[in-house]
Amino acid sequence: MNQLAFIFDMDGVIVDSEPVYRIRNKDIFKKLGIEVDEDTQLNFIGGTAKRKCTILKEQFSLSSPNLENTNSLVN
């Protein structure tokens, strides 16, 4: 009998994906023209993209269109 299984690592127990996210975040911050300090970046860990956008909008007075078109930021 053939069996198929998937492992979902949603909390970073198996793979620490934070370094990859930090690299991508730096690319996005550069496109937005902002410099995000270490403490703010630490606040992103374990949070949602929506939470990250809220923090960035408040801290850097960014307008919603800058953050809502995320496809243009990550491509």
Side-chain angles (χ1 to χ4, degrees):
M1 179 171 154
N2 290 335
Q3 294 182 350
L4 180 63
F6 291 93
I7 297 175
F8 291 95
D9 179 29
M10 302 299 286
D11 59 359
V13 171
I14 298 171
V15 176
D16 181 9
S17 56
E18 281 305 318
V20 175
Y21 282 112
R22 294 189 83 155
I23 291 168
R24 292 302 292 152
N25 283 340
K26 285 183 181 183
D27 293 340
I28 292 170
F29 301 152
K30 185 176 180 180
K31 288 181 181 182
L32 289 171
I34 60 177
E35 283 192 39
V36 180
D37 63 37
E38 184 71 19
D39 288 336
T40 301
Q41 290 188 52
L42 290 174
N43 284 328
F44 297 153
I45 295 174
T48 63
K50 183 176 181 177
R51 181 171 171 264
K52 184 187 307 183
C53 289
T54 300
I55 291 169
L56 292 174
K57 284 166 64 172
E58 291 172 358
Q59 186 168 345
F60 295 98
S61 301
L62 298 173
S63 62
S64 291
N66 286 346
L67 294 174
E68 289 175 5
N69 188 8
T70 56
N71 286 339
S72 67
L73 294 174
V74 297
N75 293 326

